[in-house]
Amino acid sequence: MTDNILIILSAAFLLFAGLCVPFLIQILRTAREMAMTLQLLNQRLPLIMKNLEEITTNINRTSITVHRQVAEISLTLNRIQGIIGFFLGLEEVLRRRMSFPFARTLRTSMAVGRGVRVFLDCFTGGGPEGKSSSSS
């Protein structure tokens, strides 16, 4: 009876070993392909690293250039803002010192202009007195 059990166990072990052979062969093929892939990767890795370093260098240069240009634009905009603030402050000071409004100033200026024109007409002889004396 022990011989029968030993034969059954041997047959089961052989069957198990026979079924494991394709798996072991596949694992061996996969290991060989992985070794080839690793070798290929090791050959090309320095070139890939060099390309990555060049890309990183270019990106750093570009970001430094962009940062510098943004800083220059910011400085220019701050200057423009300062100039505009100066002129707005100057306008505010002038507006406070001038106590009469613009319309009144314009009306007075127009009246002064008319008075000067009438004076010049009278002075040159083309005024109302000159017309009445020339028609008599």
Side-chain angles (χ1 to χ4, degrees), residues 53-125:
E53 287 176 10
E54 289 175 2
I55 290 169
T56 304
T57 303
N58 289 337
I59 288 174
N60 286 338
R61 286 181 188 163
T62 303
S63 80
I64 288 170
T65 303
V66 168
H67 180 68
R68 187 179 307 134
Q69 288 178 353
V70 166
E72 289 174 1
I73 289 172
S74 175
L75 181 63
T76 303
L77 289 177
N78 285 339
R79 288 179 182 168
I80 290 171
Q81 186 179 10
I83 291 170
I84 290 172
F86 171 75
F87 282 120
L88 288 177
L90 184 64
E91 184 266 339
E92 180 79 22
V93 168
L94 290 176
R95 188 167 20 113
R96 287 188 180 177
R97 287 192 180 176
M98 298 174 77
S99 61
F100 43 89
F102 178 72
R104 194 157 137 205
T105 305
L106 184 64
R107 204 171 347 149
T108 304
S109 299
M110 288 175 57
V112 169
R114 277 190 223 130
V116 169
R117 190 176 69 213
V118 169
F119 172 76
L120 288 176
D121 284 345
C122 288
F123 186 70
T124 57

Side-chain angles (χ1 to χ4, degrees), residues 37-52:
T37 304
L38 183 63
Q39 181 183 3
L40 185 65
L41 186 63
N42 284 336
Q43 288 174 354
R44 294 188 181 179
L45 189 61
L47 294 174
I48 293 171
M49 292 300 291
K50 184 178 177 184
N51 286 341
L52 283 175

